[in-house]
Amino acid sequence: MGNLNYLDKKGTFTLDDPDLTSYMYFPLANEAGMMSSITPDLNGDIKLDQNTFLLEPVSSENLHNNKSSRNFWVYVEGKGAWSVTGRSSKQQAKLFEDDKEKVKLTAGIMWHQVERESDEMELKAVMTSFVPNTEEKVELTKFEITNTSDKEQKITSTVAIPLYARSASNIRDHRHVTSLLHRTFTVKNGIMIHPTLTFDERGHNKNKVYYGALAKEEVNGEMVSPISFCPVTEEFIGHGGNFENPYYVMKNEPLPYKVGEEVDGYETVAAIRFEDTVLAPGETRTYIVALGFGESEAEITEISKKYLITKHFDRYLEETKEYWQKKINVSYNSADTDFDNWMHWVNFQPMLRRIYGCSFLPHHDYGKGGRGWRDLWQDCLALLIMEPEQVRQMLIDNFGGVRFDGTNATIIGSKQGEFIADRNNIVRVWMDHGAWPYLTTSLYIEQTGDIEFLREENTYFKDAQIHRGEDRDERWNDSRGNKQMTTEAEPYRGTVLEHLLIQHLTSFYDVGEHNHIRLRGADWNDGLDMANDRGESVAFTALYGGNMRNLAKNIKAYEEKTGKNTITLAKEILILIDADKSIYNSIGDKHAVLDEYCESVKHIISGEKVEVPCDKLIDVLNGMSDWIGNHIRKTEWLSDKDGYSWFNGYYDNSGKAVEGDFETGVRMMLTGQVFAIMSETATKEQVAEIVKATDKYLYDEKIGGYRLNTNFNEVKTDLGRLFGFAFGHKENGAVFSHMAVMYANALYSRGFAKEGYKVINTLYKHCNDYNLSNIYPGVPEYVNQRGQGMYHYLTGAASWLLLTVLNEMYGIKGQLGALKLQPKLLATQFTNGMASATCMFRGVNITVTYQNPFNLEVGNYRVKEIYIDGEKYSDGDTIAKEDVDKLGDKSIITAVLG
Ligand code: G1P
């Protein structure tokens, strides 16, 4: 297996023999909606959404099975046919031989280049692919074919790309019938399809989309059109043939169609033939292929005019590279340049997730695009760091998804702030959902100092689901829209703070038999979905508790900043606030409070508002937070027979604690530890104990660090489907990056820097070692039992990693708009006594350089002096908010440690 090497500090890398690793894919996309995946042999697919695939949808297994890849053939006179992408039966048969073809991949953010060389053919091909960052929905590939022999060679070049041109669902829902919808025609530079109708879950509709594959070659500086075509798959491959052994290529016969012909009702291939040419020794011939979508034939023709010109291709490629690099405005300079490069990809990943959602890459062959509630808020974390301007309104809009009972809409529309009622009536409540908006809001407030944000207003979501998913509002009629209404028949509007309070206060009362918040449909761990009745998540109860304490602090800051000592809230919320603290121990009383509240808001609400003193709210929130912390510490701290201690994080549907000593072995889960640490439920001493226990039971360096759980050796149907997965995979005990990174975040935040570093460093070292992880740079969703990185690119782990490295490891953090510098870098992370990071802070680009002249270890240093653009600013570790406002773009901040 080849080594992966970085070529610069912007994530560009090379890799030899990428064709000897299976299941690798690479994203190419733009913000106009183009989403491609591409492999070293140019397999993969291209789509705009679930119903609009240009190339046939691929799941991971198709990456080795599929013959329908983007192919380009060169027939060499006297030698035969060569697939420049390696997808011919003959080349496949030689893959494991010593004299296999040399293949090399070079790739950077949103561009992909493969070189392939054949000694037998004496040809070399360089294939460069990208999706331009423009409004057009097109993917471009330039094929450069060079004669490496010392003799002339006569070649015939043929593009052969099967076009699917329909909905993903038609893969096994009328695959053949939907080919009858194809209206396929040849144009000057290629082949287009305009299906008559679309058949998918939306019904049968008139189709609007044109699909096209166009190509030109460069001859003496001129771009020249192809000479013949074959749009019909069965004709092109010939009886008995296939896409890796297609008749017309193997026989090198002229393709049977000319420009301007139409042939309808068949599976389509864009087979496009160029004039024969003689390549002199060392001569290179260039071809450009465009694969795209349009609303008319003319739109696709325009694409060919714009992009099928070599110098345009080169220019758009450079512009696209620059565009994405500019977007990644966070970077690092540490002793480990590979880490800095790897983080470059991690920083880019949240942008991919915004484009692809959680679908549309080969492992992500589920969902139909779009993101879930959790993802929505977590993606905002990265946005807050990288593109903060847009985020304020986005956050306010997102709060429009909260229901008055504290749960939320789970189907998210395509427009910002659009939430859709689930018409399938699937009532599912994820108990963690109410906790994430606060984390994002809190980061926003700390970064910006915009505490007044708490009084911004938005509506609430309303559908038939009431009583936190336990009942239906039979009087609700969706035709009236999806907003919570008042008795005045007006949509009710409440503040951001009110939304947050409702989410937390309702959860506080929504407890199970052990007085922890009920698990319901699941929490963060989607796989814990079989304990709806009696399950409890201690893990997220801790997080809610921690949030409440921080929210109380925010209210204090709000009071101080605005001088307002009351908060305006919907009258009904008083039920949740006024309950006496003495009932917190009583599960029955808690239910009674929650029921009374849910009953009062189940249909329309009064619309009346009351003023609640800030002090009172602060007291209530602190009271609840303290109660949760004490309760968890008192009831869930456990020790096993070997003396290791940690928190039990869950109760199952049998009402039993999930973790501890069992006959089948020790059962431990990471999630409960993460949130106990993050929320400060765990004391410092307990954090130290937890670290020992996780190191003992969950740590496995061979697979990148900390597993999500130990092996329960049981298909635990009273807790969740994840126990059906083989151990070490996905949510059942893999190193699940998201939770591992949150573990690091929690450890750093509590001052356990070395321990936090260990989490990140082990994960990074594993993922970045291509020979172990088999993935390109970046953080995958998880690492499986064999060390393979899985579900690459689209994961919430990236946002959290970005945040953890910048805010915790580098300690560059907002504190109500001031800039706090509290690095927790290990001595080994400095190079020549320096480590620096560049990022955006409150609209300006800053570079913070830490000087550690005495090479002090973390824990033994703090920021002693700050210099701004060379001038001494202070002897502390903070730049005040008003001084941050004076920082110019590209400010250089030097912080001396001592
Ligand atoms: C994925 C889902 C996320 C869920 C997690 C655990 O994580 O996207 O919503 O909480 O699995 O089940 P991700 O890939 O974002 O790390």
Side-chain angles (χ1 to χ4, degrees), residues 353 358 364 366 374-375 378 432 523-527 708 721 730-731 736-739 781 791 794-797:
R353 176 124 118 180
C358 301
H364 300 78
Y366 49 78
R374 208 178 282 133
D375 312 325
Q378 298 197 71
D432 64 310
D523 65 6
W524 165 85
N525 191 332
D526 285 333
L708 204 44
R721 65 162 188 250
K730 229 172 179 321
E731 280 97 342
F736 208 94
S737 307
H738 199 159
M739 200 43 66
E781 179 180 272
Y791 294 71
L794 310 180
T795 165

PDB file of all heavy atoms in Angstrom, residues 353 358 364 366 374-375 378 432 523-527 708 721 730-731 736-739 781 791 794-797, ligand 1:
ATOM      1  N   ARG A 353     -20.853  18.818   4.918  1.00  0.00           N
ATOM      2  CA  ARG A 353     -22.082  18.337   5.529  1.00  0.00           C
ATOM      3  C   ARG A 353     -23.239  19.283   5.214  1.00  0.00           C
ATOM      4  O   ARG A 353     -24.382  18.865   5.071  1.00  0.00           O
ATOM      5  CB  ARG A 353     -21.886  18.192   7.015  1.00  0.00           C
ATOM      6  CG  ARG A 353     -23.191  17.792   7.594  1.00  0.00           C
ATOM      7  CD  ARG A 353     -23.217  16.564   8.380  1.00  0.00           C
ATOM      8  NE  ARG A 353     -23.602  16.969   9.695  1.00  0.00           N
ATOM      9  CZ  ARG A 353     -23.735  16.160  10.698  1.00  0.00           C
ATOM     10  NH1 ARG A 353     -23.489  14.891  10.547  1.00  0.00           N
ATOM     11  NH2 ARG A 353     -24.079  16.583  11.847  1.00  0.00           N
ATOM     12  N   CYS A 358     -26.762  14.448   5.418  1.00  0.00           N
ATOM     13  CA  CYS A 358     -26.207  13.186   5.916  1.00  0.00           C
ATOM     14  C   CYS A 358     -26.430  12.093   4.888  1.00  0.00           C
ATOM     15  O   CYS A 358     -26.444  10.906   5.212  1.00  0.00           O
ATOM     16  CB  CYS A 358     -26.854  12.795   7.233  1.00  0.00           C
ATOM     17  SG  CYS A 358     -26.640  14.035   8.489  1.00  0.00           S
ATOM     18  N   HIS A 364     -23.158   6.807   2.932  1.00  0.00           N
ATOM     19  CA  HIS A 364     -24.366   7.487   3.417  1.00  0.00           C
ATOM     20  C   HIS A 364     -25.514   7.236   2.441  1.00  0.00           C
ATOM     21  O   HIS A 364     -26.076   8.165   1.870  1.00  0.00           O
ATOM     22  CB  HIS A 364     -24.106   8.973   3.571  1.00  0.00           C
ATOM     23  CG  HIS A 364     -23.015   9.298   4.542  1.00  0.00           C
ATOM     24  ND1 HIS A 364     -21.681   9.181   4.230  1.00  0.00           N
ATOM     25  CD2 HIS A 364     -23.054   9.719   5.820  1.00  0.00           C
ATOM     26  CE1 HIS A 364     -20.968   9.512   5.286  1.00  0.00           C
ATOM     27  NE2 HIS A 364     -21.766   9.850   6.257  1.00  0.00           N
ATOM     28  N   TYR A 366     -28.493   6.420   2.882  1.00  0.00           N
ATOM     29  CA  TYR A 366     -29.806   6.456   3.547  1.00  0.00           C
ATOM     30  C   TYR A 366     -30.237   7.914   3.587  1.00  0.00           C
ATOM     31  O   TYR A 366     -29.467   8.814   3.272  1.00  0.00           O
ATOM     32  CB  TYR A 366     -29.721   5.890   4.965  1.00  0.00           C
ATOM     33  CG  TYR A 366     -28.577   6.462   5.772  1.00  0.00           C
ATOM     34  CD1 TYR A 366     -28.675   7.723   6.349  1.00  0.00           C
ATOM     35  CD2 TYR A 366     -27.383   5.768   5.926  1.00  0.00           C
ATOM     36  CE1 TYR A 366     -27.622   8.265   7.069  1.00  0.00           C
ATOM     37  CE2 TYR A 366     -26.334   6.302   6.637  1.00  0.00           C
ATOM     38  CZ  TYR A 366     -26.463   7.548   7.210  1.00  0.00           C
ATOM     39  OH  TYR A 366     -25.417   8.081   7.910  1.00  0.00           O
ATOM     40  N   ARG A 374     -30.454  17.715  15.311  1.00  0.00           N
ATOM     41  CA  ARG A 374     -29.154  17.741  15.977  1.00  0.00           C
ATOM     42  C   ARG A 374     -28.075  18.299  15.057  1.00  0.00           C
ATOM     43  O   ARG A 374     -27.279  19.145  15.437  1.00  0.00           O
ATOM     44  CB  ARG A 374     -28.811  16.292  16.316  1.00  0.00           C
ATOM     45  CG  ARG A 374     -27.958  16.072  17.479  1.00  0.00           C
ATOM     46  CD  ARG A 374     -27.798  14.569  17.650  1.00  0.00           C
ATOM     47  NE  ARG A 374     -28.932  13.915  18.243  1.00  0.00           N
ATOM     48  CZ  ARG A 374     -29.502  12.787  17.770  1.00  0.00           C
ATOM     49  NH1 ARG A 374     -29.030  12.197  16.684  1.00  0.00           N
ATOM     50  NH2 ARG A 374     -30.524  12.260  18.371  1.00  0.00           N
ATOM     51  N   ASP A 375     -28.112  17.827  13.818  1.00  0.00           N
ATOM     52  CA  ASP A 375     -27.095  18.245  12.852  1.00  0.00           C
ATOM     53  C   ASP A 375     -27.209  19.738  12.561  1.00  0.00           C
ATOM     54  O   ASP A 375     -26.215  20.440  12.407  1.00  0.00           O
ATOM     55  CB  ASP A 375     -27.249  17.478  11.539  1.00  0.00           C
ATOM     56  CG  ASP A 375     -27.400  15.990  11.796  1.00  0.00           C
ATOM     57  OD1 ASP A 375     -26.777  15.508  12.750  1.00  0.00           O
ATOM     58  OD2 ASP A 375     -28.158  15.340  11.065  1.00  0.00           O
ATOM     59  N   GLN A 378     -25.527  21.543  15.286  1.00  0.00           N
ATOM     60  CA  GLN A 378     -24.085  21.314  15.389  1.00  0.00           C
ATOM     61  C   GLN A 378     -23.339  21.905  14.217  1.00  0.00           C
ATOM     62  O   GLN A 378     -22.215  22.360  14.366  1.00  0.00           O
ATOM     63  CB  GLN A 378     -23.813  19.830  15.503  1.00  0.00           C
ATOM     64  CG  GLN A 378     -24.462  19.317  16.757  1.00  0.00           C
ATOM     65  CD  GLN A 378     -23.923  18.004  17.155  1.00  0.00           C
ATOM     66  OE1 GLN A 378     -22.793  17.915  17.589  1.00  0.00           O
ATOM     67  NE2 GLN A 378     -24.710  16.991  17.002  1.00  0.00           N
ATOM     68  N   ASP A 432     -32.426  14.123  23.656  1.00  0.00           N
ATOM     69  CA  ASP A 432     -31.284  15.051  23.680  1.00  0.00           C
ATOM     70  C   ASP A 432     -31.566  16.330  22.885  1.00  0.00           C
ATOM     71  O   ASP A 432     -30.858  17.310  23.031  1.00  0.00           O
ATOM     72  CB  ASP A 432     -30.050  14.375  23.061  1.00  0.00           C
ATOM     73  CG  ASP A 432     -30.259  14.056  21.586  1.00  0.00           C
ATOM     74  OD1 ASP A 432     -31.296  13.458  21.248  1.00  0.00           O
ATOM     75  OD2 ASP A 432     -29.403  14.432  20.771  1.00  0.00           O
ATOM     76  N   ASP A 523     -31.436   9.078  22.539  1.00  0.00           N
ATOM     77  CA  ASP A 523     -30.778  10.377  22.755  1.00  0.00           C
ATOM     78  C   ASP A 523     -29.817  10.571  21.589  1.00  0.00           C
ATOM     79  O   ASP A 523     -30.093  10.114  20.478  1.00  0.00           O
ATOM     80  CB  ASP A 523     -30.127  10.469  24.140  1.00  0.00           C
ATOM     81  CG  ASP A 523     -28.978   9.491  24.364  1.00  0.00           C
ATOM     82  OD1 ASP A 523     -28.577   8.777  23.410  1.00  0.00           O
ATOM     83  OD2 ASP A 523     -28.466   9.433  25.495  1.00  0.00           O
ATOM     84  N   TRP A 524     -28.666  11.217  21.833  1.00  0.00           N
ATOM     85  CA  TRP A 524     -27.691  11.420  20.746  1.00  0.00           C
ATOM     86  C   TRP A 524     -27.425  10.109  20.015  1.00  0.00           C
ATOM     87  O   TRP A 524     -27.260  10.075  18.800  1.00  0.00           O
ATOM     88  CB  TRP A 524     -26.381  11.968  21.335  1.00  0.00           C
ATOM     89  CG  TRP A 524     -25.242  11.868  20.373  1.00  0.00           C
ATOM     90  CD1 TRP A 524     -24.918  12.764  19.397  1.00  0.00           C
ATOM     91  CD2 TRP A 524     -24.301  10.785  20.270  1.00  0.00           C
ATOM     92  NE1 TRP A 524     -23.837  12.316  18.690  1.00  0.00           N
ATOM     93  CE2 TRP A 524     -23.431  11.108  19.195  1.00  0.00           C
ATOM     94  CE3 TRP A 524     -24.108   9.584  20.955  1.00  0.00           C
ATOM     95  CZ2 TRP A 524     -22.380  10.274  18.812  1.00  0.00           C
ATOM     96  CZ3 TRP A 524     -23.074   8.758  20.572  1.00  0.00           C
ATOM     97  CH2 TRP A 524     -22.217   9.104  19.514  1.00  0.00           C
ATOM     98  N   ASN A 525     -27.379   9.037  20.792  1.00  0.00           N
ATOM     99  CA  ASN A 525     -27.095   7.743  20.205  1.00  0.00           C
ATOM    100  C   ASN A 525     -28.372   7.182  19.589  1.00  0.00           C
ATOM    101  O   ASN A 525     -29.213   6.598  20.274  1.00  0.00           O
ATOM    102  CB  ASN A 525     -26.554   6.801  21.281  1.00  0.00           C
ATOM    103  CG  ASN A 525     -25.995   5.544  20.682  1.00  0.00           C
ATOM    104  OD1 ASN A 525     -26.434   5.113  19.617  1.00  0.00           O
ATOM    105  ND2 ASN A 525     -25.034   4.947  21.358  1.00  0.00           N
ATOM    106  N   ASP A 526     -28.483   7.365  18.283  1.00  0.00           N
ATOM    107  CA  ASP A 526     -29.690   6.922  17.573  1.00  0.00           C
ATOM    108  C   ASP A 526     -29.982   5.437  17.768  1.00  0.00           C
ATOM    109  O   ASP A 526     -31.114   4.990  17.570  1.00  0.00           O
ATOM    110  CB  ASP A 526     -29.509   7.153  16.058  1.00  0.00           C
ATOM    111  CG  ASP A 526     -29.650   8.618  15.702  1.00  0.00           C
ATOM    112  OD1 ASP A 526     -30.355   9.328  16.436  1.00  0.00           O
ATOM    113  OD2 ASP A 526     -29.049   9.039  14.697  1.00  0.00           O
ATOM    114  N   GLY A 527     -28.939   4.682  18.116  1.00  0.00           N
ATOM    115  CA  GLY A 527     -29.090   3.235  18.247  1.00  0.00           C
ATOM    116  C   GLY A 527     -29.753   2.814  19.551  1.00  0.00           C
ATOM    117  O   GLY A 527     -30.069   1.641  19.736  1.00  0.00           O
ATOM    118  N   LEU A 708     -17.025   3.558  21.996  1.00  0.00           N
ATOM    119  CA  LEU A 708     -18.275   4.080  22.544  1.00  0.00           C
ATOM    120  C   LEU A 708     -18.779   3.226  23.716  1.00  0.00           C
ATOM    121  O   LEU A 708     -19.440   3.722  24.617  1.00  0.00           O
ATOM    122  CB  LEU A 708     -19.321   4.120  21.425  1.00  0.00           C
ATOM    123  CG  LEU A 708     -20.486   5.073  21.526  1.00  0.00           C
ATOM    124  CD1 LEU A 708     -20.089   6.458  21.977  1.00  0.00           C
ATOM    125  CD2 LEU A 708     -21.189   5.155  20.172  1.00  0.00           C
ATOM    126  N   ARG A 721     -31.307  -0.992  19.069  1.00  0.00           N
ATOM    127  CA  ARG A 721     -30.904  -1.770  17.892  1.00  0.00           C
ATOM    128  C   ARG A 721     -29.393  -1.887  17.771  1.00  0.00           C
ATOM    129  O   ARG A 721     -28.876  -2.783  17.130  1.00  0.00           O
ATOM    130  CB  ARG A 721     -31.466  -1.118  16.625  1.00  0.00           C
ATOM    131  CG  ARG A 721     -30.905   0.271  16.333  1.00  0.00           C
ATOM    132  CD  ARG A 721     -31.122   0.715  14.899  1.00  0.00           C
ATOM    133  NE  ARG A 721     -30.407   1.951  14.627  1.00  0.00           N
ATOM    134  CZ  ARG A 721     -30.979   3.144  14.430  1.00  0.00           C
ATOM    135  NH1 ARG A 721     -32.283   3.257  14.482  1.00  0.00           N
ATOM    136  NH2 ARG A 721     -30.248   4.214  14.197  1.00  0.00           N
ATOM    137  N   LYS A 730     -19.929   0.786  14.235  1.00  0.00           N
ATOM    138  CA  LYS A 730     -20.875   1.891  14.375  1.00  0.00           C
ATOM    139  C   LYS A 730     -21.194   2.147  15.849  1.00  0.00           C
ATOM    140  O   LYS A 730     -20.283   2.146  16.668  1.00  0.00           O
ATOM    141  CB  LYS A 730     -22.130   1.601  13.526  1.00  0.00           C
ATOM    142  CG  LYS A 730     -22.506   2.810  12.654  1.00  0.00           C
ATOM    143  CD  LYS A 730     -23.599   2.507  11.682  1.00  0.00           C
ATOM    144  CE  LYS A 730     -23.992   3.684  10.823  1.00  0.00           C
ATOM    145  NZ  LYS A 730     -24.075   4.993  11.299  1.00  0.00           N
ATOM    146  N   GLU A 731     -22.487   2.304  16.181  1.00  0.00           N
ATOM    147  CA  GLU A 731     -22.797   2.699  17.561  1.00  0.00           C
ATOM    148  C   GLU A 731     -22.531   1.592  18.584  1.00  0.00           C
ATOM    149  O   GLU A 731     -22.673   1.813  19.774  1.00  0.00           O
ATOM    150  CB  GLU A 731     -24.249   3.176  17.677  1.00  0.00           C
ATOM    151  CG  GLU A 731     -24.481   4.611  17.225  1.00  0.00           C
ATOM    152  CD  GLU A 731     -24.994   4.707  15.798  1.00  0.00           C
ATOM    153  OE1 GLU A 731     -24.850   3.703  15.052  1.00  0.00           O
ATOM    154  OE2 GLU A 731     -25.518   5.765  15.412  1.00  0.00           O
ATOM    155  N   PHE A 736     -16.299   5.977  17.895  1.00  0.00           N
ATOM    156  CA  PHE A 736     -17.276   6.845  17.231  1.00  0.00           C
ATOM    157  C   PHE A 736     -16.767   8.272  17.407  1.00  0.00           C
ATOM    158  O   PHE A 736     -16.805   8.834  18.508  1.00  0.00           O
ATOM    159  CB  PHE A 736     -18.649   6.648  17.877  1.00  0.00           C
ATOM    160  CG  PHE A 736     -19.773   6.932  16.928  1.00  0.00           C
ATOM    161  CD1 PHE A 736     -20.359   5.911  16.192  1.00  0.00           C
ATOM    162  CD2 PHE A 736     -20.226   8.229  16.733  1.00  0.00           C
ATOM    163  CE1 PHE A 736     -21.385   6.179  15.298  1.00  0.00           C
ATOM    164  CE2 PHE A 736     -21.245   8.498  15.846  1.00  0.00           C
ATOM    165  CZ  PHE A 736     -21.830   7.473  15.123  1.00  0.00           C
ATOM    166  N   SER A 737     -16.275   8.828  16.329  1.00  0.00           N
ATOM    167  CA  SER A 737     -15.489  10.071  16.434  1.00  0.00           C
ATOM    168  C   SER A 737     -16.225  11.174  17.191  1.00  0.00           C
ATOM    169  O   SER A 737     -15.626  11.899  17.993  1.00  0.00           O
ATOM    170  CB  SER A 737     -15.138  10.594  15.047  1.00  0.00           C
ATOM    171  OG  SER A 737     -14.527   9.584  14.295  1.00  0.00           O
ATOM    172  N   HIS A 738     -17.493  11.307  16.902  1.00  0.00           N
ATOM    173  CA  HIS A 738     -18.264  12.393  17.514  1.00  0.00           C
ATOM    174  C   HIS A 738     -18.156  12.367  19.043  1.00  0.00           C
ATOM    175  O   HIS A 738     -17.837  13.372  19.682  1.00  0.00           O
ATOM    176  CB  HIS A 738     -19.721  12.206  17.075  1.00  0.00           C
ATOM    177  CG  HIS A 738     -20.565  13.412  17.218  1.00  0.00           C
ATOM    178  ND1 HIS A 738     -21.726  13.582  16.524  1.00  0.00           N
ATOM    179  CD2 HIS A 738     -20.427  14.505  17.985  1.00  0.00           C
ATOM    180  CE1 HIS A 738     -22.263  14.743  16.857  1.00  0.00           C
ATOM    181  NE2 HIS A 738     -21.491  15.308  17.738  1.00  0.00           N
ATOM    182  N   MET A 739     -18.424  11.222  19.619  1.00  0.00           N
ATOM    183  CA  MET A 739     -18.400  11.148  21.082  1.00  0.00           C
ATOM    184  C   MET A 739     -16.967  11.170  21.607  1.00  0.00           C
ATOM    185  O   MET A 739     -16.703  11.730  22.664  1.00  0.00           O
ATOM    186  CB  MET A 739     -19.161   9.896  21.551  1.00  0.00           C
ATOM    187  CG  MET A 739     -19.618   9.935  22.997  1.00  0.00           C
ATOM    188  SD  MET A 739     -20.347  11.491  23.587  1.00  0.00           S
ATOM    189  CE  MET A 739     -21.848  11.620  22.647  1.00  0.00           C
ATOM    190  N   GLU A 781     -16.882   9.165  10.401  1.00  0.00           N
ATOM    191  CA  GLU A 781     -17.864   9.041  11.482  1.00  0.00           C
ATOM    192  C   GLU A 781     -17.364   8.091  12.560  1.00  0.00           C
ATOM    193  O   GLU A 781     -17.464   8.361  13.739  1.00  0.00           O
ATOM    194  CB  GLU A 781     -19.202   8.555  10.950  1.00  0.00           C
ATOM    195  CG  GLU A 781     -20.216   8.413  12.062  1.00  0.00           C
ATOM    196  CD  GLU A 781     -21.551   7.933  11.572  1.00  0.00           C
ATOM    197  OE1 GLU A 781     -22.383   8.772  11.184  1.00  0.00           O
ATOM    198  OE2 GLU A 781     -21.775   6.709  11.568  1.00  0.00           O
ATOM    199  N   TYR A 791     -17.797   5.852   6.829  1.00  0.00           N
ATOM    200  CA  TYR A 791     -18.701   6.997   6.658  1.00  0.00           C
ATOM    201  C   TYR A 791     -17.901   8.301   6.676  1.00  0.00           C
ATOM    202  O   TYR A 791     -18.145   9.191   7.486  1.00  0.00           O
ATOM    203  CB  TYR A 791     -19.797   7.013   7.735  1.00  0.00           C
ATOM    204  CG  TYR A 791     -20.759   5.856   7.645  1.00  0.00           C
ATOM    205  CD1 TYR A 791     -20.357   4.569   7.975  1.00  0.00           C
ATOM    206  CD2 TYR A 791     -22.052   6.052   7.203  1.00  0.00           C
ATOM    207  CE1 TYR A 791     -21.232   3.498   7.880  1.00  0.00           C
ATOM    208  CE2 TYR A 791     -22.936   4.980   7.109  1.00  0.00           C
ATOM    209  CZ  TYR A 791     -22.504   3.704   7.443  1.00  0.00           C
ATOM    210  OH  TYR A 791     -23.372   2.654   7.349  1.00  0.00           O
ATOM    211  N   LEU A 794     -18.954  13.095   6.179  1.00  0.00           N
ATOM    212  CA  LEU A 794     -20.170  13.728   6.696  1.00  0.00           C
ATOM    213  C   LEU A 794     -20.400  13.302   8.138  1.00  0.00           C
ATOM    214  O   LEU A 794     -21.039  12.294   8.399  1.00  0.00           O
ATOM    215  CB  LEU A 794     -21.369  13.338   5.832  1.00  0.00           C
ATOM    216  CG  LEU A 794     -21.172  13.512   4.332  1.00  0.00           C
ATOM    217  CD1 LEU A 794     -22.416  13.085   3.574  1.00  0.00           C
ATOM    218  CD2 LEU A 794     -20.798  14.949   3.992  1.00  0.00           C
ATOM    219  N   THR A 795     -19.878  14.061   9.054  1.00  0.00           N
ATOM    220  CA  THR A 795     -20.050  13.724  10.464  1.00  0.00           C
ATOM    221  C   THR A 795     -19.992  14.968  11.345  1.00  0.00           C
ATOM    222  O   THR A 795     -19.187  15.870  11.108  1.00  0.00           O
ATOM    223  CB  THR A 795     -18.982  12.714  10.937  1.00  0.00           C
ATOM    224  OG1 THR A 795     -18.977  12.695  12.370  1.00  0.00           O
ATOM    225  CG2 THR A 795     -17.590  13.070  10.469  1.00  0.00           C
ATOM    226  N   GLY A 796     -20.848  14.963  12.356  1.00  0.00           N
ATOM    227  CA  GLY A 796     -20.858  16.056  13.322  1.00  0.00           C
ATOM    228  C   GLY A 796     -19.549  16.135  14.096  1.00  0.00           C
ATOM    229  O   GLY A 796     -19.253  17.141  14.742  1.00  0.00           O
ATOM    230  N   ALA A 797     -18.755  15.074  14.029  1.00  0.00           N
ATOM    231  CA  ALA A 797     -17.475  15.068  14.744  1.00  0.00           C
ATOM    232  C   ALA A 797     -16.579  16.204  14.252  1.00  0.00           C
ATOM    233  O   ALA A 797     -15.783  16.754  15.018  1.00  0.00           O
ATOM    234  CB  ALA A 797     -16.773  13.735  14.537  1.00  0.00           C
TER     235      ALA A 797
HETATM  236  C1  G1P B   1     -24.497  10.272  13.457  1.00  0.00           C
HETATM  237  C2  G1P B   1     -25.710  11.145  13.287  1.00  0.00           C
HETATM  238  C3  G1P B   1     -25.992  11.863  14.603  1.00  0.00           C
HETATM  239  C4  G1P B   1     -26.129  10.834  15.711  1.00  0.00           C
HETATM  240  C5  G1P B   1     -24.919   9.898  15.754  1.00  0.00           C
HETATM  241  C6  G1P B   1     -25.030   8.793  16.765  1.00  0.00           C
HETATM  242  O1  G1P B   1     -23.396  10.979  13.915  1.00  0.00           O
HETATM  243  O2  G1P B   1     -25.508  12.096  12.279  1.00  0.00           O
HETATM  244  O3  G1P B   1     -27.136  12.665  14.505  1.00  0.00           O
HETATM  245  O4  G1P B   1     -26.251  11.516  16.910  1.00  0.00           O
HETATM  246  O5  G1P B   1     -24.741   9.329  14.475  1.00  0.00           O
HETATM  247  O6  G1P B   1     -26.053   7.916  16.506  1.00  0.00           O
HETATM  248  P1  G1P B   1     -22.318  11.763  13.097  1.00  0.00           P
HETATM  249  O7  G1P B   1     -22.097  11.021  11.835  1.00  0.00           O
HETATM  250  O8  G1P B   1     -22.873  13.112  12.870  1.00  0.00           O
HETATM  251  O9  G1P B   1     -21.108  11.804  13.937  1.00  0.00           O
END
